[in-house]
Amino acid sequence: VLLEFSTGFHVEVKEWDENGVERWKTFRRQKREWIKFAAAIREGEDNSKRNPIARIRSDCEEKQTIIYKISGKGIDSHPFGIFVINQKSGEINITKVVDRETNPFFVIDCYAINPVTQQSVETPLQLRVRVLDINDNPPVFTKAVFAGSISESSMEDTLVMKITATDADEPNTLNSKIAYKIESQTPGGPLKFILNTLNGELHIANMLDREEYSSYSLVVKATDRNGGPDGISSECTCEVNVVDVNDNIPTFSQSSYSARISENTRSDELIRIQITDLDQMHTDNWKAECYFLSGNENNNFAITVDPMTNEAILMVVEELDYEQSSNIQLSIGVRNVAPFHYSVANQYQATGTPFTVEVINIREGPTFHPSTITVTASEGRSTTSYSVGTFQAIDQDTGRPATNVRMEDVLLVLRKESLLLLVVVLLVVEQVVVLVVEQAALLVVLVVEQAALLVVLVVEQVVEQVVVLVVEQEALVVVEQVVLLAVEQGAIIGEQGVQLEKLGVQLEELGVQALVGEQGVQLGEQVVKLV
C-alpha cells in the first residue's frame, strides 16, 4: 500500500498476512492532513469476502456530525455500482468482479460532508484502487498461418521468418512473458529448424536440399509465464517453402550414342536423347542447352532441346556425303539455361558425350566436274570436224573418272546438270507467255468491241431496210387486195346493172317506161369506169 498525505482524513487499510489473517492498519493524520493511499483488488475474483477494503475518517466528526460519500468510475459512472460506502462509518466495500484488461485501476473521490449544510468539511481525497492481474489470457498469434521461404543450400542459421504472438495480461509481468517452441515438424526426422524461444525468430539448423524435401510444415507453441508449467499455451502453423537453385548439373542418360543415316538426306530428328536434371521441372534451373564441342565443323548438324521433356534432338540440316566421310564423331556438351549456383559452379566442366553418326552409302550415277567448261575454236580450219574440248564424267562413289559410261548415262548427267537452266528457261518462257497472253487478251477485247460496234451498225441498217421493204410489200399486198375486191364488187354491180337492163327491156316490153333501164345501164357503165 502506497501512502501520500494531505490535510483532513485518516484512513484505515485492511491487510492480510502470509497465513491469510486480516488486520487493520491505521494511518493517522498529521497536521490535519487527508490520507491519500492506493488499495489493491484481484481481477476475476470475488473480493467481497475481503470487505471492507478501506475505511476513511475525518477528525472533524469529533466536533460535528459527518457523513462520507464517494464518486467516480465504478461508482456513479460506468461501470456503475462496483464500489459502495457506509456513510456513517466510512467503510468502502466492493460488490462486483472486475477485469483488469478492461479497467486496470479505479480512482475514487472521497468526501466528508456536513449533513446539515451539505458542504464538504475537508478537501476531497482521491483513493486509487489498483486491479491486480491474474493469468487469464492465452497468447494470441498475429497470424493463423505463418508462411516463409528460403533458398536451398543457404548457410546454416539463416533467418527464415519471425513468429509473433501477444498476451493481453499485464505487460512486463510473467503473465504476459511468452516463450516459443517447435512442437512438431512434417516431414519428420531430425529438426531442420531452430526457434528462438524469446523473440520467435525461426532459423535453419543446417543447409536444406529441395531435392530431398521441397517444403516443411511446423507446429509452433507459444506459452505465457515464460513457458512455465502453469502458463497458458496457443499453437499456430508455419509453412516453409524451400526455393530451388541451380545446384544440379544436367547429364545425358547414357555415356555414348550412335545413329545411322543415308547420304544425301536430311533429318529433323535423327535421335532423341533424354537429359537428367534433379532441379525443379520446367524452370530454367532444369531446362537444358546442348552445344557441339567437336565434329560439326561443316555445320551439317544442329541440336535443340524439347522444353516439355528436356530431351535433346539431334538434326541433320545439310546432306552428308559418304565419299567424304562415312563415320562422323560428334562431341556434345550440355548445361542449363540458368547459371549454376555458386555451390556447384566450380564442379561443372565442359566435357562432351560422344555421338557416332554412320553414313550409309547409296548408288550414285556419274557427274561432270566441273559442270561447265569453256572451250575455244579457231576459224579457218580446213577440216570440218575436230575436237575442241573434253567433258570428263566422274564416278561419285569412287571419285575417279567414270568407266563404261553409256550415252544414256551421259545424257542423264547432262540433263541433270542442265535441270536448273531448264527450270530458269521455263520460268522465263512462262513469264513471256503470260505477257503475250495478256497483250493478246487486250487486243481481242479491242477487236471484239470494234466488231460489236460494226455489227450493231450493220444490224441497224439491215433492220431499217427490212422494215421499209416489209412496209412496201405489205402496202402492195393491201392495194392488190383492194383492187381485187373492187373488181369483184364492180363485176357484181355490173352483172346487177345488166340484169336491171334486161329487167328494163322486159318492163319496156311490158309497156313500162324504159327510164329505169337506162339509169341502170348508166350506173353499170359508171361502175365499170370506176373499176
Side-chain angles (χ1 to χ4, degrees):
V1 177
L2 303 179
L3 302 177
E4 294 180 5
F5 296 94
S6 61
T7 61
F9 285 132
H10 71 269
V11 179
E12 295 176 348
V13 178
K14 184 181 291 185
E15 295 180 347
W16 291 265
D17 60 17
E18 296 178 354
N19 298 321
V21 178
E22 65 180 48
R23 67 185 181 91
W24 286 93
K25 185 175 182 181
T26 301
F27 299 90
R28 296 191 178 276
R29 66 183 179 86
Q30 297 178 359
K31 299 180 182 179
R32 299 186 57 81
E33 293 180 342
W34 278 90
I35 298 175
K36 183 179 180 182
F37 69 98
I41 56 177
R42 285 184 176 275
E43 69 166 331
E45 294 183 6
D46 181 10
N47 290 281
S48 63
K49 61 185 179 181
R50 299 182 178 181
N51 285 333
I53 61 170
R55 182 187 296 125
I56 58 174
R57 296 186 67 183
S58 173
D59 290 341
C60 294
E61 67 179 5
E62 296 176 357
K63 298 178 180 181
Q64 58 181 315
T65 302
I66 298 295
I67 61 173
Y68 300 99
K69 292 184 178 180
I70 57 176
S71 68
K73 185 178 180 181
I75 302 167
D76 50 9
S77 63
H78 182 79
F80 298 96
I82 294 179
F83 300 99
V84 295
I85 188 170
N86 186 315
Q87 293 185 348
K88 293 182 178 181
S89 65
E91 293 179 347
I92 299 175
N93 298 322
I94 184 169
T95 64
K96 297 180 180 179
V97 177
V98 295
D99 181 12
R100 191 209 67 84
E101 284 69 48
T102 304
N103 297 289
F105 65 91
F106 295 89
V107 177
I108 302 175
D109 294 323
C110 304
Y111 302 91
I113 305 292
N114 184 310
V116 177
T117 63
Q118 293 294 316
Q119 298 294 321
S120 294
V121 297
E122 299 277 6
T123 302
L125 174 148
Q126 282 191 337
L127 172 63
R128 299 179 182 273
V129 180
R130 176 187 172 194
V131 181
L132 299 179
D133 181 51
I134 63 172
N135 188 25
D136 59 346
N137 291 282
V140 177
F141 287 98
T142 55
K143 297 179 182 179
V145 178
F146 289 83
S149 61
I150 185 170
S151 298
E152 64 173 332
S153 300
S154 296
M155 299 298 293
E156 62 182 46
D157 203 35
T158 301
L159 177 65
V160 181
M161 69 178 82
K162 185 173 182 178
I163 303 165
T164 55
T166 60
D167 195 302
D169 288 318
E170 187 171 1
N172 303 317
T173 66
L174 201 59
N175 291 337
S176 61
K177 187 175 181 60
I178 299 173
Y180 300 91
K181 178 184 178 183
I182 297 176
E183 282 292 294
S184 64
Q185 170 187 287
T186 305
L191 279 178
K192 299 290 186 179
F193 302 90
I194 300 173
L195 183 60
N196 188 306
T197 302
L198 299 178
N199 59 24
E201 289 184 350
L202 184 67
H203 299 255
I204 59 172
N206 302 102
M207 284 195 301
L208 302 178
D209 185 3
R210 191 206 67 86
E211 287 69 51
E212 181 182 8
Y213 295 111
S214 60
S215 64
Y216 292 88
S217 180
L218 306 176
V219 175
V220 173
K221 176 187 286 187
T223 306
D224 59 17
R225 298 191 65 80
N226 200 26
D230 56 344
I232 305 174
S233 300
S234 298
E235 293 183 349
C236 75
T237 301
C238 299
E239 302 292 344
V240 180
N241 180 48
V242 183
V243 180
D244 183 55
V245 299
N246 191 16
D247 58 350
N248 289 278
I249 298 174
T251 59
F252 290 112
S253 57
Q254 297 178 201
S255 59
S256 63
Y257 296 87
S258 63
R260 304 178 70 197
I261 187 172
S262 299
E263 65 174 330
N264 302 328
T265 58
R266 301 178 184 181
S267 175
D268 292 333
E269 187 177 314
L270 178 62
I271 187 174
R272 184 177 282 259
I273 312 136
Q274 183 63 58
I275 299 172
T276 301
D277 194 304
L278 299 178
D279 289 315
Q280 189 171 357
M281 293 181 63
H282 306 298
T283 65
D284 288 349
N285 297 335
W286 174 79
K287 294 178 181 178
E289 290 180 338
C290 296
Y291 55 94
F292 293 101
L293 291 173
S294 63
N296 193 34
E297 288 75 12
N298 295 329
N299 296 320
N300 295 107
F301 300 90
I303 191 166
T304 186
V305 177
D306 187 333
M308 299 305 297
T309 63
N310 222 24
E311 292 176 309
I313 303 172
L314 182 63
M315 300 176 290
V316 180
V317 295
E318 295 292 341
E319 297 178 357
L320 302 174
D321 189 353
Y322 174 85
E323 286 69 40
Q324 292 183 357
S325 179
S326 61
N327 192 286
I328 302 175
Q329 299 294 328
L330 300 174
S331 179
I332 300 178
V334 61
R335 59 184 172 231
N336 288 122
V337 174
F340 290 110
H341 189 255
Y342 67 86
S343 61
V344 298
N346 295 332
Q347 302 175 19
Y348 176 75
Q349 296 181 355
T351 56
T353 298
F355 285 74
T356 301
V357 179
E358 180 184 354
V359 183
I360 302 173
N361 185 33
I362 60 174
R363 179 63 180 170
E364 299 173 297
T367 183
F368 288 110
H369 186 73
S371 59
T372 303
I373 64 172
T374 302
V375 297
T376 58
S378 302
E379 62 179 346
R381 294 289 295 268
S382 58
T383 57
T384 59
S385 177
Y386 62 95
S387 174
V388 295
T390 302
F391 264 115
Q392 181 66 60
I394 303 299
D395 190 328
Q396 296 186 66
D397 291 323
T398 63
R400 300 176 181 177
T403 58
N404 299 323
V405 179
R406 296 174 297 176
M407 189 60 185
E408 291 81 355
D409 295 334
V410 175
L411 293 177
L412 179 61
V413 171
L414 289 175
R415 283 195 293 271
K416 181 178 178 181
E417 297 294 335
S418 61
L419 178 60
L420 180 60
L421 178 60
L422 177 60
V423 171
V424 174
V425 171
L426 289 177
L427 291 175
V428 173
V429 170
E430 181 181 1
Q431 294 180 356
V432 172
V433 169
V434 169
L435 182 61
V436 171
V437 169
E438 291 177 352
Q439 296 297 326
L442 294 176
L443 181 59
V444 168
V445 170
L446 181 61
V447 171
V448 169
E449 290 178 353
Q450 296 297 326
L453 293 175
L454 181 59
V455 168
V456 170
L457 181 61
V458 171
V459 168
E460 289 178 352
Q461 293 179 355
V462 171
V463 170
E464 182 179 358
Q465 292 179 2
V466 169
V467 170
V468 172
L469 181 59
V470 170
V471 171
E472 291 177 352
Q473 292 297 324
E474 291 294 330
L476 291 175
V477 171
V478 170
V479 171
E480 183 178 358
Q481 290 179 353
V482 171
V483 172
L484 290 176
L485 181 61
V487 172
E488 291 177 356
Q489 296 295 328
I492 295 172
I493 295 173
E495 290 180 357
Q496 292 178 353
V498 173
Q499 292 178 359
L500 289 174
E501 184 179 4
K502 291 179 179 182
L503 179 60
V505 174
Q506 292 176 358
L507 292 174
E508 186 179 355
E509 290 178 354
L510 295 174
V512 182
Q513 294 294 332
L515 180 59
V516 177
E518 291 178 357
Q519 291 178 349
V521 171
Q522 292 176 0
L523 181 60
E525 290 177 354
Q526 290 178 357
V527 171
V528 171
K529 289 179 180 181
L530 180 61
V531 173

